[in-house]
Amino acid sequence: MRAERSLTRDRRAFNFLLLLLPAVASMTIRANKFTPEVLLSAPRRSEGNPNSNGSKVLYSTSTYSFEHHTKTSEICVLDIKSDEASFISGEGASEPQWLDDDTVLLLSESKDGITSVKVGSVNGFDNSCYDAGTIKGSVGNVKLVSLDDGAFGIAVTGKATPSGDLYNEADEKKSQSSGRLYSSLFVRHWDHWITENRNAIWLGTLKKEGDRYKLSELKNALKGSKLESPVDPFGGTNNFDISRHGLVFTAKDPELNPATHTKTNIYTLTGKDFWDLSKGMPEPFKVPIHGFEGASTNPTWDNEGKAIGFFSMRTDGYESDKNQIFIIPNWTNPGWVQHLWATEDGKGSWDRSPQSITWGANQEIYFTAEEAGRISLFAASSDFNKSTRAPKLIVKGGGISSAILLKDGSLFLSSSSLIENSLYSILPASAFLEISANGNSYSLPRNDSAPGHYPSDRATKYVSSNTRSGSTFGLSHDQIEEIWFKGANNKTYVHAWVFKPSTFKRSHKYPLAYFIHGGPQGAWEDAWSTRWNPAIFAEQGYVVVAPNPTGSTGYGQDFTDAIEGQWGGLPYQDLVKGFEYIKDNLEYVDTDRSVALGASYGGYMMNWIQGHDLGRQFKALVTHDGVFSMIAQMASEELYFPFHDIGGKLWENPEGWAQWDPSRFASHWATPHLIIHSEKDYRLTMNEGLAAFNVLQTRGVPSQFLTFPDENHWVLKPENSLLWHETVLDWINEHAGLEKYTEWRAKNVATRK
């Protein structure tokens, strides 16, 4: 039966497709080559959700077929002992959660926006599942907490109408007019126009009636509060948490305009009988965080439902300020807040910006944080009255995306890398005891000193690799190197990833693909991407160099902050130094056949480079959703971003806005240039791409313009992404002296069936 098959259709297709590389879309690839079709067709596996003893792992997977132009989504369970995956549920199913080690809850949404909460046995879910209840709208971000007598508290998020009811688009009455009238910011955000509906957290209970669970009526925990959570556009389960004693969440400060402020507050709703929802919802309590006026995120209850940890930033209007760690030791007194590793200057003694919190089983707490192009795992004692030492590195990434505590104190880790799109592993409980006992600590070399050595990885137990450590893509760790070079003014060291072709020979010379990341407060990391994947470009025959210049994250907050008022300054100098280092030290790189590519701030830098000397070093450039004119940033939605990074509002600092404006140097534009810009990008508006293309065309510079009317700042739809890859690869290959990708494919792929 379908529910009993031991290997899903997607995994069978995955093994067939990627091990042998035969059937991609409706075509047969005869060469063993990692191509855009392989990248975009490969199953995408979610983070793993283990049961309490880690014997089984729930996950979702999605696969796109270019042959049928359809996406298939499934919920699966991986048996760790046998390493076999079984089907749980298909289309429309999401958010799989464990009620116990053998019972699964998931959501199933119908086309009319109604969501069913289904419960069943992990073994034969299709035959055993039943509806525990229905929700009259679209919801997600499920969280569960065990209560007394086998009951559970449940939280989901979904849009609320102005009256506080759950919004369902299918019930919305269509207006006879398409007009929108606004009297305050936001007008639009990320990729959508703002409406009167707001995100909310909905609470309910699951209780046994006989041998089945039944879902109670859901209550809007934020009704009447003027608060919205999760925070758009990317807030999810990291914006709230529940325990047997209540709810904690983050929300934008209702007294400040979200277009010009980043300040969010932490709120608690708690009580001894909190989950007796018939008694009504308590008023939200705003947690005081003195001296911290920026974004507060990741509120997380400990395992006993007593303490709460969260992050907060000092600076309002600066979304890339450092996260610092705070603890509420006891939920009964949420006004008592401890600031961990605080210093008199307010910067904090731990010079990393953590991204997630996981409470341990004993006296430990774990954090993920960026560290020199990786997302690594750190540990510290949770006895904060005695602990003064900052967290210590215990697992070096890759890119660790989640850490989940098992009942024996071990951690289940989900991660990826530059060659691996999904890895599950377990960190034994003994790892923390070991690092506590031996007292070893680790810190990166300062940016003003020569780089040193990294510690070896601590022992983690392999559980499951979705790509057999990249081998099913034909990729290996041997293709990856790291370099450090002296950057601007020869004062700071800059880190860069080097990705080589799988057929690499040191005696051969390869054209350079110079990658510039977005942000600008971001970084190229040892993590998988389906948008900017260096392996795709390396397999075309490039050596890809991806530097993390001034402004990048994961190298200390001072290095990140140094880009303020320096958009075309220090980072540009770092990139010039990096190019010189490549030319002088990487003998296998032919810098006379170089191309450069970047998106967002990377797109800005492409436009800046085009007008400066470095631009003449490249055969071709690619700008994806970049900045052409700094003044046009006034059309953006999150205005706090240019106000902070440029150093004030346009009318307060017009010289600063003009100083780093790429359009001022349009008279120097001469390098062939591909411009890509999507119409639903409301962060960097469409006119930026059109203006850059118009300059190139009127100056007679070889150029192309690619646009997508249905994409935002990113190109997410598989068919659009394939066209994006085809266009980009054809453009740079033609100018770097390589065969166009589409011409190679036409010769190496069988005719359409």
Side-chain angles (χ1 to χ4, degrees):
M1 296 180 64
R2 188 168 185 247
E4 295 173 347
R5 67 189 188 218
S6 62
L7 193 63
T8 68
R9 175 177 64 253
D10 286 346
R11 288 197 68 186
R12 288 198 302 268
F14 176 59
N15 291 335
F16 184 61
L17 168 67
L18 298 178
L19 282 173
L20 303 178
L21 292 180
V24 181
S26 59
M27 303 167 287
T28 301
I29 294 182
R30 295 179 180 139
N32 186 6
K33 189 170 184 176
F34 184 52
T35 66
E37 286 90 343
V38 173
L39 170 71
L40 300 171
S41 297
R44 305 185 188 188
R45 189 170 72 170
S46 70
E47 296 174 355
N49 182 6
N51 59 5
S52 69
N53 60 20
S55 62
K56 294 183 172 68
V57 180
L58 291 169
Y59 66 92
S60 61
T61 183
S62 64
T63 307
Y64 189 81
S65 167
F66 285 104
E67 179 180 3
H68 302 291
H69 308 291
T70 56
K71 177 183 176 182
T72 302
S73 299
E74 293 183 346
I75 305 296
C76 303
V77 62
L78 177 68
D79 184 273
I80 298 303
K81 187 175 181 180
S82 67
D83 194 28
E84 290 189 347
S86 300
F87 174 84
I88 295 291
S89 190
E91 295 299 324
S94 65
E95 308 276 343
Q97 303 290 324
W98 296 100
L99 291 175
D100 57 47
D101 283 349
D102 297 303
T103 307
V104 174
L105 174 148
L106 54 79
L107 304 182
S108 181
E109 185 173 339
S110 62
K111 293 181 179 179
D112 59 1
I114 302 297
T115 302
S116 298
V117 178
K118 295 185 177 294
V119 175
S121 170
V122 71
N123 300 311
F125 185 87
D126 273 359
N127 293 330
S128 64
C129 74
Y130 58 89
D131 284 353
T134 57
I135 303 171
K136 296 181 180 180
S138 178
V139 297
N141 296 316
V142 177
K143 287 199 172 183
L144 298 168
V145 61
S146 179
L147 307 175
D148 296 329
D149 301 324
F152 289 87
I154 183 172
V156 295
T157 65
K159 290 287 185 182
T161 65
S163 63
D165 299 325
L166 185 62
Y167 170 73
N168 188 329
E169 185 178 6
D171 297 334
E172 186 175 28
K173 295 181 180 180
K174 303 301 179 183
S175 173
Q176 298 301 310
S177 170
S178 61
R180 301 183 181 99
L181 179 63
Y182 296 89
S183 58
S184 67
L185 302 172
F186 284 145
V187 169
R188 56 186 188 180
H189 196 197
W190 187 247
D191 59 4
H192 60 277
W193 290 83
I194 298 299
T195 69
E196 60 185 0
N197 304 311
R198 297 290 182 267
N199 292 336
I201 301 168
W202 305 80
L203 303 177
T205 57
L206 281 165
K207 295 182 178 180
K208 277 281 188 76
E209 292 189 358
D211 61 351
R212 293 191 170 192
Y213 286 98
K214 184 176 181 181
L215 178 68
S216 71
E217 179 185 359
L218 296 185
K219 301 289 187 180
N220 181 352
L222 309 187
K223 187 174 183 177
S225 67
K226 297 183 180 181
L227 300 175
E228 180 177 16
S229 187
V231 178
D232 266 346
F234 304 121
T237 55
N238 64 335
N239 278 194
F240 71 99
D241 201 14
I242 55 174
S243 79
R244 60 190 301 107
H245 295 128
L247 167 71
V248 60
F249 65 95
T250 185
K252 286 276 191 178
D253 191 308
E255 303 302 318
L256 301 175
N257 193 296
T260 53
H261 296 271
T262 58
K263 182 175 173 58
T264 60
N265 303 318
I266 299 294
Y267 298 89
T268 61
L269 281 77
T270 56
K272 291 184 178 180
D273 299 319
F274 179 81
W275 290 99
D276 185 354
L277 301 176
S278 63
K279 295 182 178 180
M281 204 67 64
E283 290 290 322
F285 173 83
K286 186 174 89 169
V287 175
I289 319 170
H290 301 296
F292 281 72
E293 300 299 324
S296 298
T297 57
N298 290 81
T300 308
W301 287 93
D302 73 359
N303 302 307
E304 303 300 322
K306 177 184 177 182
I308 299 169
F310 63 89
F311 304 143
S312 190
M313 297 178 177
R314 288 194 302 162
T315 308
D316 185 19
Y318 185 22
E319 63 182 2
S320 298
D321 199 4
K322 185 174 77 172
N323 280 325
Q324 298 194 45
I325 303 166
F326 293 81
I327 300 292
I328 301 172
N330 195 310
W331 67 271
T332 60
N333 185 9
W336 175 29
V337 181
Q338 293 181 342
H339 179 192
L340 305 187
W341 307 297
T343 56
E344 291 185 2
D345 62 6
K347 293 183 177 182
S349 61
W350 188 34
D351 199 16
R352 293 294 172 263
S353 185
Q355 299 178 356
S356 69
I357 300 172
T358 301
W359 292 86
N362 299 305
Q363 291 285 309
E364 69 269 8
I365 187 169
Y366 300 94
F367 307 97
T368 58
E370 284 183 283
E371 178 94 302
R374 296 170 172 85
I375 303 175
S376 298
L377 186 69
F378 298 79
S381 172
S382 60
D383 187 354
F384 299 113
N385 292 320
K386 299 178 181 179
S387 175
T388 58
R389 293 188 299 180
K392 297 177 180 179
L393 176 69
I394 59 170
V395 179
K396 184 182 71 173
I400 299 173
S401 56
S402 72
I404 298 175
L405 182 70
L406 303 179
K407 67 181 180 182
D408 68 352
S410 300
L411 289 179
F412 180 91
L413 306 178
S414 296
S415 63
S416 70
S417 73
L418 286 166
I419 62 167
E420 166 67 76
N421 70 0
S422 175
L423 175 68
Y424 299 155
S425 58
I426 290 178
L427 175 70
S430 58
F432 181 81
L433 298 177
E434 176 187 349
I435 199 168
S436 297
N438 63 32
N440 290 338
S441 63
Y442 164 69
S443 62
L444 275 175
R446 303 193 315 273
N447 280 97
D448 59 354
S449 66
H453 297 287
Y454 294 102
S456 59
D457 290 337
R458 294 195 167 269
T460 55
K461 178 184 176 183
Y462 165 90
V463 173
S464 172
S465 167
N466 203 35
T467 67
R468 299 184 182 178
S469 298
S471 63
T472 53
F473 290 136
L475 306 175
S476 75
H477 286 288
D478 293 339
Q479 295 176 249
I480 303 169
E481 291 184 7
E482 298 175 68
I483 59 174
W484 293 79
F485 58 87
K486 283 192 174 181
N489 303 320
N490 290 318
K491 290 183 178 180
T492 59
Y493 276 89
V494 175
H495 176 232
W497 295 100
V498 179
F499 204 112
K500 298 171 291 185
S502 58
T503 56
F504 176 77
K505 295 180 180 178
R506 190 165 290 272
S507 60
H508 189 66
K509 277 190 172 286
Y510 300 86
L512 168 69
Y514 209 30
F515 273 24
I516 314 303
H517 68 67
Q521 296 89 354
W524 295 117
E525 296 168 341
D526 185 13
W528 191 255
S529 173
T530 54
R531 296 195 301 275
W532 286 89
N533 192 309
I536 288 292
F537 294 81
E539 294 305 273
Q540 291 294 302
Y542 295 94
V543 168
V544 179
V545 178
N548 287 328
T550 299
S552 299
T553 50
Y555 303 89
Q557 193 62 36
D558 287 346
F559 192 70
T560 302
D561 294 345
I563 197 173
E564 182 180 356
Q566 281 286 324
W567 267 37
L570 293 175
Y572 174 76
Q573 295 172 39
D574 288 343
L575 296 174
V576 171
K577 291 284 188 178
F579 189 87
E580 293 172 351
Y581 179 91
I582 295 164
K583 189 173 184 178
D584 295 340
N585 294 275
L586 302 187
E587 70 281 358
Y588 49 82
V589 176
D590 183 359
T591 53
D592 290 335
R593 293 195 293 150
S594 297
V595 297
L597 311 88
S600 194
Y601 172 79
Y604 161 88
M605 185 53 71
M606 290 301 101
N607 295 343
W608 183 260
I609 285 172
Q610 174 69 280
H612 291 79
D613 291 344
L614 184 57
R616 307 293 79 78
Q617 300 296 317
F618 298 105
K619 294 296 185 183
L621 303 172
V622 177
T623 290
H624 175 103
D625 286 23
V627 176
F628 172 72
S629 168
M630 296 303 284
I631 291 178
Q633 294 311 290
M634 287 303 301
S636 184
E637 14 84 286
E638 294 179 342
L639 290 172
Y640 57 75
F641 179 76
F643 290 175
H644 174 273
D645 269 31
I646 300 173
K649 299 179 176 66
L650 172 62
W651 48 94
E652 295 172 346
N653 182 22
E655 296 83 6
W657 285 66
Q659 182 179 10
W660 306 118
D661 191 330
S663 68
R664 290 177 54 225
F665 304 93
S667 61
H668 300 296
W669 285 30
T671 299
H673 204 150
L674 168 64
I675 304 293
I676 306 169
H677 218 112
S678 297
E679 292 186 30
K680 294 183 73 176
D681 185 352
Y682 300 152
R683 184 153 297 184
L684 295 172
T685 61
M686 174 76 164
N687 287 344
E688 293 290 87
L690 282 171
F693 179 65
N694 290 347
V695 166
L696 292 163
Q697 286 285 297
T698 53
R699 286 186 52 77
V701 179
S703 49
Q704 291 182 351
F705 179 70
L706 174 65
T707 185
F708 298 97
D710 54 347
E711 298 283 5
N712 55 33
H713 199 53
W714 303 326
V715 177
L716 301 176
K717 298 180 180 179
E719 301 282 354
N720 289 344
S721 185
L722 180 58
L723 176 59
W724 185 97
H725 281 89
E726 291 171 345
T727 304
V728 170
L729 294 178
D730 278 359
W731 176 258
I732 61 174
N733 286 6
E734 178 182 15
H735 290 90
L738 298 175
E739 184 177 23
K740 283 187 176 183
Y741 172 66
T742 54
E743 293 177 356
W744 171 89
R745 187 178 60 190
K747 291 189 296 185
N748 287 273
V749 174
T751 57
R752 190 173 295 273
K753 295 179 180 179

